[in-house]
Amino acid sequence: MKKKIVAGVMAATMVASALTGCGSTKKDRTTTEVDVDALKGSFVTNQEITSDDVELVVWESTNGPDKFIEKAGEYFHKIYPNITIKYENVESTNADSQIGLDGPAGNGPDLFATAHNNIGKLANNENIAAVPESEVEIVKNSCNQQALNGATLTTSDGTSTVYGYPVSTETYALFYNKDLIKEEDVPKTMEDLVKYIGENNGGGTVPFLFDAGNAYYSVMFTSTESEHLYGMDGNDMKDSHMLSDQAIQQMEDFTNLSKAINMNTKDIDYTKNDEMFKSGLLAMEVSGAWNITTFEESGINFGITSIPALTATGKPPVNFMGVRCMFVSNYSKHQAEATAFAEFLMTKEMQQLRCELTATMPARDDVLENISDEKIKTYLNGLSEQIQYSYPMPNISQASLFWTPFGSAYANIWNGKAKDVKSELQDANKSATKNK
């Protein structure tokens, strides 16, 4: 037996996937108690919800997201006593491949989390259900535009379909050790950063590092406000859009950093940089919210701010954003109920709970000011200084062509092996597109 529930109105594979898939938590995180009665009166879904007993299986990662799903499941159960949420640990970095195996076999989830850039592959393989037309407005009103863009698949013919229910966003920013560099001395421009590196090299600590041979990070030197990877809609496979005159100009900062740091890309990958930072041996690095708890537990006193402004623009670089989405499995026998729970996870109350439990950025803009943990709020406000310049990674399946050739190009340029910047990027463009 079905009944319609409309209860008021509620207005928000590569390293990229790995980072978006991570979460963090601490046992002593301060969380705000949720007023279930008020939430019950404001939550809305247009789905026909069964009155029969239902158990929804939800795949999520450990170390924070698991606690969020379990806690949110308890609140959801109070609103719908016939629906029980069962958490199962499948890491978001594995869910996109695991669903293709377990789903058809009848062992899969009703709902699962993974990074938005997996949408193209998941949709092509018919592993995920599109957001029902009746729910699209609810999703649009429950997240910011950047998150919505990430959750939407726009194909080459211009057709757009919303598949994901955004629950968090991630990007990288500048992390700095306050015991090694004063807050007022943190460089605001690339020129200042190069100068700082030159003046502070050779001591017991390293001034600054970032994973220059990793396309996830170095794409910020070839992206611009008007040129995103594979075009503004991320679906132009005839051109990477990483070869504009401004991109070539911005790469001057990249090569200047290379000369100042004077280390090979193989010696400055993000895992090594993270270890140095949490050990107090690195003053500044480019990292993301996935490391907040790790760095906290190491005992270092750190802050987060936007990446130093590019010389060509006077603004922080335009960089990648990851959008963590919940997806309704195409194999689920309870898609209406799974859709309702996904929408529930996007409510302001649940987004705030998720931020407080995982120390990651929300997918809506009306949450940060209400975070009860002041330290987490400070960290996330620092990340928000950079995320305003970020854009979602392309999510069409062909976008996987970008990683290897451009990773090699950035590494060759950094390591001084490229003939020149433009020709190196042109070669990468040929390999990363279908215009050959």
Side-chain angles (χ1 to χ4, degrees), residues 4-6 43-49 130-142 148 162 164-165 335-336 339-340 343 346:
K4 192 171 185 180
I5 305 293
V6 181
F43 176 63
V44 61
T45 181
N46 294 319
Q47 292 294 284
E48 296 281 345
I49 305 297
V131 173
E133 280 300 315
S134 63
E135 313 304 301
V136 170
E137 279 303 309
I138 292 176
V139 172
K140 286 182 177 180
N141 291 330
S142 301
L148 180 64
V162 182
Y165 301 80
Q335 290 192 13
T339 296
E343 292 170 334
M346 296 179 68

Side-chain angles (χ1 to χ4, degrees), residues 377-395:
K377 184 189 291 188
T378 299
Y379 292 145
L380 297 186
N381 281 333
L383 285 168
S384 70
E385 293 178 15
Q386 180 62 44
I387 209 165
Q388 62 185 304
Y389 299 98
S390 307
Y391 67 96
M393 294 174 285
N395 58 20

Side-chain angles (χ1 to χ4, degrees), residues 6-8 10 39-45 76 79-80 340 343-344 347:
V6 181
M10 190 69 210
L39 185 54
K40 185 175 182 179
S42 63
F43 176 63
V44 61
T45 181
F76 193 72
I79 297 175
Y80 301 108
E343 292 170 334
F344 182 74
T347 61

Side-chain angles (χ1 to χ4, degrees), residues 234-253:
N235 62 355
D236 180 10
M237 288 306 299
K238 293 182 179 179
D239 187 0
S240 68
H241 293 262
M242 295 289 101
L243 294 167
S244 68
D245 291 341
Q246 185 178 323
I248 302 303
Q249 189 177 359
Q250 289 176 177
M251 284 295 287
E252 291 180 14
D253 285 328

